[in-house]
Amino acid sequence: KFDNSLLDGRIFKLDTIGDEYICAGWLKGEEDGDMCATMLGIAKSMLTIIEGVRVKDGRPISCRIGIAAGSCVAGTMGKLQP
């Protein structure tokens, strides 16, 4: 479900390590003024997805989201690649 929240076309899944879902944006070199707003929107979408998920005993899943800006060197995984 997280992959589908990345359909913006500028955000790409890099990896899933343990319970971490790692993605990056603007890997093709394009820049615009709404990078932070787009990342915040995706973070909100992820939180909405998590709200509907429960572990086997009925407890909700907790989530921590971090957003950083700067250079990135990585490959991509998932359904879409730049």
Side-chain angles (χ1 to χ4, degrees), residues 48-59:
T48 300
I49 291 167
I50 295 256
E51 285 176 359
V53 179
R54 301 276 188 256
V55 292
K56 290 182 181 180
D57 66 4
R59 291 179 296 135

Side-chain angles (χ1 to χ4, degrees), residues 1-51:
K1 291 186 178 183
F2 283 165
D3 284 354
N4 291 334
S5 71
L6 303 180
L7 293 177
D8 176 86
R10 295 175 289 183
I11 312 296
F12 299 92
K13 177 180 179 181
L14 297 181
D15 207 350
T16 304
I17 303 173
D19 63 351
E20 294 180 13
Y21 184 92
I22 303 167
C23 58
W26 295 267
L27 299 177
K28 297 178 185 178
E30 72 277 7
E31 285 193 30
D32 57 31
D34 69 348
M35 287 186 245
C36 291
T38 301
M39 292 303 290
L40 286 172
I42 289 169
K44 287 179 182 180
S45 295
M46 291 177 155
L47 290 173
T48 300
I49 291 167
I50 295 256
E51 285 176 359

